[in-house]
Amino acid sequence: MWGALLRRGGRGAGGLRGLASGGPPWSQVVSEAEKIVGYPTSFMSLRCLLSDELSNIAMQVRKLVGTKHPLLDTARGFVYDSRNNLQMRGLVVLLISKAAGPSTAELSFQHSMVSGIYSSQRSLAEITELIHTAFLVHRGIVNIGELKSCDGPLKDMQFGNKMAVLSGDFLLANACTSLAQLQNTKVVELISSAIGDLVQGIYYENSKSSEENCLTDDIGISTWKEQVFLSHSALLAKSCQAAMELAKHSAEIQDMAFQYGKHMSMSHKAQGKGNIIDYKKLQEAIKAGKGVTSAIDLCRGHGSRALAALERFPPSEARAALANIVCAVTRFP
């Protein structure tokens, strides 16, 4: 069913032919993509993360060492991102910006362009990463009422919550300031709505137990997809669309960029482990003969839609890199 995916160039009559079972590993995909955009995205938000204000917060967070506060795990993830997942959203924004290229709709539209990407689009990629990082930090807030004695002293956990709120708010404030500096009303509206989607999605997640959020439960596929879109896909989808708006691309190109960002991130979440798929319930449902949509089919279905959106972009190394990302996130062991 799934054909071979063109790994490089993307030029010629073949184009993008579907998903493949093989392909380069995720780390190689990210490394090659960073070379194409000419930008080490692992340092994308480094200016903000190394600011005096956040450095002071980092010093305070050291007091949490020895406790089980999740903010420590988040902080470690920034330093030891072995799977190159943290900066993925910014990288995709840069790649799709380069894949679309400059717009011919407005000849007077002139901005500095480096490696085929406008400076405003690079700023947008950084903004996207700052927002994502801010929400990761905010997710590190723990419910004090559910703590156990083995988690650490109560005062330390309360202190960790304060640090999570403060540092997350700082990152989000910096993102909003940079967003305003782009001086594009539509882009501000898009990213602002994405922040609202994130808040709503996280609220849905926290308002239900992990069992109620499982794919095999009665909430249904459509409801589950809506929740995943809000909490995991809206930011990337709307950032990709905003990148096209910054380059004055047509509404059709903006929609295709939105569709790629949406379905690529949806396939990435369908591939993920955790509370999304209850494998024990899934196995029991299959044995009982129930019609259950498998995570693999769901993941690859969104991957195919992401590739279909890429067909509207001209063949290039950037488009091929975007296709390789889809191939990597839809690969199952």
Side-chain angles (χ1 to χ4, degrees):
M1 178 179 179
W2 310 107
L5 175 69
L6 292 182
R7 287 184 52 192
R8 291 182 176 273
R11 298 186 180 276
L16 302 172
R17 293 179 291 177
L19 300 174
S21 58
W26 175 252
S27 58
Q28 182 180 340
V29 169
V30 173
S31 177
E32 292 177 353
E34 287 185 333
K35 293 176 183 177
I36 292 172
V37 299
Y39 199 79
T41 53
S42 56
F43 297 101
M44 188 170 291
S45 53
L46 192 62
R47 288 178 297 173
C48 181
L49 293 176
L50 292 183
S51 64
D52 291 339
E53 293 89 347
L54 210 59
S55 295
N56 290 333
I57 293 175
M59 292 295 294
Q60 297 297 321
V61 170
R62 292 180 60 185
K63 297 178 181 179
L64 297 176
V65 174
T67 72
K68 293 185 179 180
H69 199 286
L71 183 59
L72 280 175
D73 293 331
T74 304
R76 292 189 190 102
F78 295 148
V79 180
Y80 304 107
D81 183 23
S82 60
R83 296 190 63 188
N84 301 294
N85 282 331
L86 286 180
Q87 306 290 341
M88 182 267 291
R89 289 159 185 80
L91 179 59
V92 169
V93 171
L94 294 176
L95 283 172
I96 207 159
S97 298
K98 185 165 185 176
S103 173
T104 57
E106 189 175 338
L107 297 178
S108 61
F109 180 72
Q110 294 291 336
H111 285 293
S112 58
M113 179 178 276
V114 178
S115 297
I117 304 169
Y118 292 115
S119 59
S120 59
Q121 292 171 322
R122 292 186 182 274
S123 296
L124 176 64
E126 292 185 359
I127 291 168
T128 301
E129 284 302 339
L130 283 176
I131 294 172
H132 175 63
T133 304
F135 276 86
L136 281 181
V137 172
H138 278 160
R139 283 173 179 266
I141 299 174
V142 298
N143 188 340
I144 298 297
E146 297 179 356
L147 291 177
K148 300 177 181 179
S149 58
C150 60
D151 293 326
L154 177 61
K155 64 176 183 178
D156 289 341
M157 302 303 281
Q158 291 174 329
F159 177 78
N161 278 359
K162 292 178 181 179
M163 290 297 99
V165 172
L166 178 61
S167 53
D169 287 352
F170 173 78
L171 293 171
L172 194 57
N174 274 268
C176 292
T177 301
S178 299
L179 182 62
Q181 292 172 350
L182 293 178
Q183 298 183 342
N184 187 304
T185 304
K186 184 176 180 180
V187 170
V188 172
E189 291 177 352
L190 281 169
I191 303 303
S192 298
S193 66
I195 293 174
D197 291 338
L198 274 168
V199 173
Q200 186 177 355
I202 293 173
Y203 172 79
Y204 283 153
E205 287 183 356
N206 293 336
S207 64
K208 299 177 181 294
S209 68
S210 60
E211 291 183 358
E212 290 174 330
N213 279 325
C214 290
L215 182 61
T216 54
D217 268 319
D218 295 334
I219 63 170
I221 296 295
S222 59
T223 303
W224 177 82
K225 284 184 177 181
E226 179 184 0
Q227 294 178 7
V228 171
F229 171 76
L230 290 173
S231 59
H232 296 280
S233 301
L235 178 61
L236 181 58
K238 293 183 178 181
S239 294
C240 288
Q241 180 181 354
M244 301 300 97
E245 164 63 23
L246 287 172
K248 305 300 181 185
H249 283 292
S250 66
E252 180 186 4
I253 291 296
Q254 290 187 33
D255 182 60
M256 290 299 100
F258 176 91
Q259 295 300 327
Y260 174 83
K262 172 185 176 180
H263 291 295
M264 190 283 290
S265 55
M266 290 286 285
S267 65
H268 186 262
K269 185 65 180 176
Q271 185 206 45
K273 306 297 187 293
N275 68 344
I276 297 302
I277 306 296
D278 188 323
Y279 288 99
K280 183 177 181 180
K281 288 187 177 181
L282 183 62
Q283 185 179 22
E284 292 174 353
I286 292 174
K287 288 181 177 179
K290 297 180 181 179
V292 179
T293 302
S294 73
I296 294 178
D297 288 341
L298 188 64
C299 176
R300 289 177 174 169
H302 283 293
S304 294
R305 293 184 181 92
L307 291 181
L310 285 181
E311 290 284 1
R312 186 61 183 81
F313 294 85
S316 66
E317 284 188 331
R319 191 183 80 162
L322 289 167
N324 281 336
I325 288 176
V326 175
C327 180
V329 299
T330 55
R331 185 186 305 117
F332 283 80

